[in-house]
Amino acid sequence: MKKVVYLDNNATTRVAPEVFEEMKPFLTDLYGNPSSIHSFGGEVRKFIDKAREQVAELLVAEPEEIIFTGSGSESDNSAIMGALELADPDKRHVIITQVEHEAVLEVGHYLKGKGYRVTELPVDRKGALALDLLADSITDDTAVVSVMWANNETGVVYPIEQIVEIVKSKGVYFHTDAVQAVGKIPVDLSRVPVDFLALSGHKLHAPKGVGALFVRNGIKMPPYIRGGHQENGMRAGTENVAGIVGLGKAAELAMERMSADAAHEKRLQDKLEKGILATCKDSRVNGANKLPNTLNVSFEFVEGESILLMLNDLGICASSGSACTSGSLEPSHVLRAMGVPHSMAHGSIRFSLSRYTTEEEIDYVLEHMPKVIDRLRELSPFTHQIA
Amino acid sequence: MWNYTNKVMEHFRNPKNVGYIKDPHGVGEVGSMACGDALKLMIKLDDQERIVDAKFQTFGCGSAIATSSVLTEMIKGKTLEEAEKITNQDIVDYLGGLPEQKMHCSVLGREALEAAIENYRNGTTGKRELEGHVVCVCFGVTENKIRSAIQSNGLTTVEQVTNYTKAGGGCGGCIPEIDEILAEMNGKKPSKKKHARAAKPQPKKLNTLEKIRLIEKTIEEDLRPELKKHGGDLELVDVDGNNVIVKLLGSCTECGISDFTLKTLIEPKLRQRVSSELAVMEA
């Protein structure tokens, strides 16, 4: 296999070796259904309970507040739709932000189609939210507010502690998509009174296909998926035992390693950022106050997909906010919401590191990045116009 | 993610004829940074009007660079008449195929060639001005371009039109109109639909006060929200006869393509909503 320098961890992460080890028995001998009466199945249940405690500990929450789901997207959908069901039926107003992940944005569009009023709060050039604007947007008919803990494209971290205070003071449900934050930065739900929180396994070195939803004690969460009584009647479907056990172990690892990982990633991210800005002119970073692992850089006069293709030939994996790489023809909605001009949005690249990223890998990227950008600038009609 | 053929990747990695020609005979510039696709094509001819050299510069994705490279290879050695016959499908065939969503890259190549030839023949600026009715304001796509793409490529669905021209790929507001054009061109609806379009009543002549009010309304409801999405803004300064004088604000002031926005969003929208005789200029 050719050399791979994997810098796309916000898209997905490697399953930690310890996590894989922990999962193996459940993919081989311990395959029973935890709801079965026989002990062969039933004794698998205690491993699920353990995983639940591990995830709860990472979030500083109670185990009974954790529901296992199939993905972060499922958790987001369940939470928002659940909150609407719980709220007064007269409350037909939902507030989200313009930079949410599609799993929240699309729920918003769906609700708009059903006659709900949906406010999409704008962000400023650095990607930050105006808290007074949020406060003013909440009305008597607001059912739920959803603001992400950290943005997947830019890494911008939102002040959820302050935000939830505003929302709860008005008696409105608050949900946060914390998919990119959990495992990277401390998320302490004993201090931050959110009602709902979504997380995704494969963003923190657990396998794909498992996520979790935190629902604060006292909230009677209506099931999003109906059927059997799994997850205390809140999410039907035979448990993805191996995935759940994996998520639990990943949560435990995250707890143990978070400070060290964050310091390691931040150091390499800084090196990458400084290096790129120094060697590639007309480049700039998008977003301030970010996760330790995420770097979103725009390169003027060149386009994102072509940068990624050249990086791909070098074995470097990253992603872009350009139109050509999105499914649609518009560049990233996050960068547009931040007012990044088109000339910069199309040429944006996101590098997202992990605990496994090495300094050699960063040096390799720094060695090749200027050549890639220079080459594409040679090809571009706009470079010469300015010159 | 995109399934590019080996030929496309070859031309992306080692594009042919990159650069510019000193004293070219024809220059075609199409697309823009806003679109995410821009191509500048230069040609040099001999005494028999045969293309002896062609060079390109492209801002765009893998498909865009590959199609530009291939285009220059295809036209070198051809006379203008021969070159003119090259269709966007020819470019795609040479490449062994392009993903559907990238077909607009081949259309851009064809347009650059047309623009370069036109520039040589008529001395027109080579920078394509938008002629005729703009259907898609998000991407600045005229009715002519849509009809031409439908005609040359036998398109039958809105999705295909988007893949070949980008029209409809932004806010989606023009999709009903694209539908109508498709239906009309594919002969699906009876011809009275055509007459219905022609018989659309011309907006009644507005007096000055009504005109200004309608301009203000359009600016407030249609234009400012769109610009704000990009951190920009717009202010009406004056209306002098059919001249609408505006001031672009916010991030528009430091944007390299504010002219483009003026000509492909602001002016067409005002012409559509108020009067086709309006001309928009910056204060």
Side-chain angles (χ1 to χ4, degrees), chain B residues 134-188:
Chain B
V134 175
V135 172
C136 173
V137 284
C138 294
F139 292 106
V141 189
T142 61
E143 186 175 343
N144 288 344
K145 178 165 169 175
I146 293 174
R147 283 179 181 272
S148 160
I150 294 174
Q151 180 95 14
S152 330
N153 297 288
L155 307 180
T156 54
T157 66
V158 172
E159 199 185 326
Q160 284 177 321
V161 171
T162 308
N163 287 337
Y164 281 69
T165 67
K166 292 194 179 183
C171 70
C174 61
I175 291 179
E177 196 174 345
I178 298 176
D179 231 339
E180 266 183 40
I181 298 175
L182 275 168
E184 189 211 298
M185 288 184 71
N186 290 323
K188 286 223 176 80

Side-chain angles (χ1 to χ4, degrees), chain B residues 190-236:
Chain B
S191 62
K192 73 172 180 204
K193 184 87 186 181
K194 188 172 174 183
H195 293 314
R197 270 165 61 78
K200 201 176 346 184
Q202 286 301 312
K204 72 170 174 62
K205 192 105 171 68
L206 302 163
N207 69 30
T208 309
L209 188 58
E210 286 168 331
K211 185 158 71 181
I212 296 179
R213 287 224 174 104
L214 194 50
I215 291 172
E216 283 180 322
K217 185 168 190 262
T218 307
I219 289 179
E220 212 44 54
E221 288 177 7
D222 295 316
L223 294 171
R224 289 188 71 205
E226 192 55 42
L227 291 175
K228 280 185 178 165
K229 277 187 203 164
H230 304 282
D233 206 345
L234 179 68
E235 190 178 69
L236 179 63

Side-chain angles (χ1 to χ4, degrees), chain A residues 358-370:
Chain A
T358 64
E359 184 142 17
E360 286 77 33
E361 291 180 317
I362 297 298
D363 289 339
Y364 179 73
V365 174
L366 286 173
E367 186 194 326
H368 291 280
M369 201 68 196

